[in-house]
Amino acid sequence: MTIHQLLLCLSLSMVCISSKPTEKKDRVHHDPQLSDKVHDDAQSFDYDHDAFLGADEAKTFDQLTPEESKERLGKIVSKIDEDKDGFVTVEELKDWIKFAQKRWIYEDVERQWKGHDLNEDGLISWEEYKNATYGYILDDPDPDDGFNYKQMMVRDERRFKMADKDGDLTATKEEFTAFLHPEEYDYMKDIVVQETMEDIDKNGDGFIDLEEYIGDMYSHDGDTDEPEWVKTEREQFVEFRDKNRDGKMDKEETKDWILPSDYDHAEAEARHLVYESDQNKDGKLTKEEIVDKYDLFVGSQATDFGEALVRHDEF
């Protein structure tokens, strides 16, 4: 049994063990905050450091001199400048910030990649993924736990094909990332909605009614008194989720619920950094402009830039 298979089984068993009547299941996908610190540049640039490097990387600032910090920041800038035109745009800076904030996703993909690229050709075919993940189950069509793994495999295949942009049933690392983390990709959002509706729509009518919506979050389990948060969710469904007031959520209403159009914190921070550093006000930054404001981006303490550079190179 592979690690992925073991984690799959454990996660399924933990659903049964850990779900309590008063616990709330959250299906809404939000972009995380860039930092838990207050964004007040008059006091410190800690928020900007967290945003630019990610909080975990920013915590390691404690050894570099200003000169060393500037030198390493210059290397980071070269990575951010994706088209190598000598300028860092708001878009490029936003992409870097999003990479820094979601580094854990790429680490997860890297771990799983090694276990599924069986022939080590730098690609993962559907057959490779299926054999690595479900091979032992296919050999045993009637597993002891009674879980419908074949149904899960069919669902995985559908998602794999959606992630596979060129339709060759082989995933590049980017396509495999979209397969494992579909909520991070615009072209995968329909499959996220479809899978969510299939999970919650118990009567199979293609919609999510109020009781299905509540039932996904809360089990009465013999308790006649609902917690206050359940009553609030009932109100939320009626007043906000069910926009056309027909008593159920369709695909678009479900999408608005689980994939809300959040404020883009990464873009706002990118615009802020450009505004503060753009000496000639041409709307983009040179390496010199960024290094001149190094304390805004990274301060004069140490950070593991080498690790950040290596990880970014991999993707």
Side-chain angles (χ1 to χ4, degrees), residues 45-95:
F45 296 133
D46 289 346
Y47 178 98
D48 302 296
H49 297 168
D50 283 359
F52 185 68
L53 286 172
D56 288 341
E57 296 289 331
K59 286 176 184 175
T60 63
F61 281 34
D62 60 6
Q63 295 178 358
L64 293 186
T65 65
E67 289 72 26
E68 291 170 329
S69 183
K70 290 177 183 180
E71 180 183 354
R72 297 196 182 189
L73 175 58
K75 294 177 181 179
I76 288 281
V77 174
S78 297
K79 300 299 178 181
I80 300 173
D81 179 19
E82 294 182 357
D83 61 8
K84 307 304 178 188
D85 67 348
F87 297 97
V88 170
T89 63
V90 169
E91 192 67 22
E92 288 172 329
L93 194 50
K94 180 183 76 171
D95 289 344

Side-chain angles (χ1 to χ4, degrees), residues 108-120:
D108 174 55
V109 171
E110 193 61 30
R111 282 192 300 269
Q112 297 213 40
W113 185 269
K114 293 173 182 176
H116 291 90
D117 182 14
L118 302 181
N119 62 6
E120 299 183 348

Side-chain angles (χ1 to χ4, degrees), residues 139-203:
D139 293 336
D140 181 9
D142 189 22
D144 294 337
D145 58 14
F147 188 80
N148 192 340
Y149 290 100
K150 286 190 176 181
Q151 184 177 8
M152 180 177 284
M153 186 177 68
V154 169
R155 181 158 152 160
D156 270 357
E157 183 176 10
R158 182 181 63 192
R159 188 197 286 190
F160 191 97
K161 289 178 177 178
M162 179 71 75
D164 176 27
K165 280 187 167 182
D166 58 10
D168 62 356
L169 286 181
T170 300
T172 62
K173 190 163 287 188
E174 187 70 14
E175 289 171 334
F176 193 61
T177 305
F179 167 68
L180 293 177
H181 299 277
E183 68 282 353
E184 302 296 334
Y185 291 81
D186 286 340
Y187 80 100
M188 294 292 291
K189 288 184 176 179
D190 283 347
I191 202 76
V192 175
V193 174
Q194 184 175 357
E195 290 178 1
T196 301
M197 294 190 75
E198 288 172 350
D199 287 344
I200 303 176
D201 175 23
K202 300 305 182 185
N203 64 12

